[in-house]
Amino acid sequence: MTLHTILLAVGPDDNDRAEELAEAVVEVGKPAGAEVVIAHVFTESEFRRAAERLDFDDDLADPNEVAKRHQTVRTMTDLFDEAGIDYTIRGEVGDHAEEIVELAEKVGADRVIVGGRKRSPTGKAVFGSTAQSVMLDAPCPVTFVRGPDME
């Protein structure tokens, strides 16, 4: 399977694993010459908080622009620039898993890379798992990058 497009899904808890996610993309994307779409998905409340923190006018804030200025995304783009990886940045607002799957379909992703952490079965049942939903519903293979264990 040839990789043309990799969707790197980034969320509010990915700052601690930004380098690991970027390294996973470089590892599979660079040899294939794949383009990367960095997708930062915000819920409505996360988007409002991020826009306010970044001094955007709440009513005029563009999800793409907020995503471009988000620290996690900037960390990743610095690493991609060093590695010579082509990328675009997309900001989306909505349910994390649904937006990731929808965007994977829109951009024709050949691979989705998503981060997460180990959770107990009870933790998954109570809090849900974005990564699990993406793995089950994505239109292409999904690579899971495990972050620090937390509960």
Side-chain angles (χ1 to χ4, degrees), residues 14-140:
D14 286 329
N15 198 44
D16 291 343
R17 60 181 156 258
E19 288 185 27
E20 289 88 350
L21 286 163
E23 288 168 6
V25 170
V26 171
E27 187 178 310
V28 297
K30 187 166 179 133
E35 180 176 342
V36 176
V37 177
I38 304 169
H40 196 306
V41 180
F42 305 91
T43 63
E44 286 285 342
S45 61
E46 290 165 351
F47 179 69
R48 283 194 304 277
R49 282 193 307 272
E52 183 178 305
R53 192 172 54 251
L54 294 169
D55 293 325
F56 280 94
D57 182 347
D58 197 32
D59 296 332
L60 303 175
D62 174 5
N64 292 318
E65 293 304 314
V66 173
K68 286 177 187 174
R69 290 187 42 202
H70 200 277
Q71 180 60 47
T72 305
V73 172
R74 290 194 338 239
T75 297
M76 292 175 174
T77 59
D78 288 346
L79 293 168
F80 293 159
D81 288 340
E82 286 176 27
I85 300 280
D86 293 330
Y87 60 85
T88 56
I89 301 168
R90 297 281 299 263
E92 300 290 335
V93 178
D95 175 79
H96 293 140
E98 289 175 16
E99 293 297 329
I100 293 165
V101 170
E102 219 173 274
L103 192 54
E105 292 169 352
K106 280 184 198 172
V107 302
D110 301 300
R111 173 82 51 98
V112 173
I113 295 182
V114 64
R117 62 186 175 271
K118 184 177 179 179
R119 285 189 165 163
S120 68
T122 303
K124 282 187 251 182
V126 173
F127 301 110
S129 170
T130 297
Q132 183 176 354
S133 295
V134 171
M135 285 187 251
L136 294 172
D137 297 332
C140 58

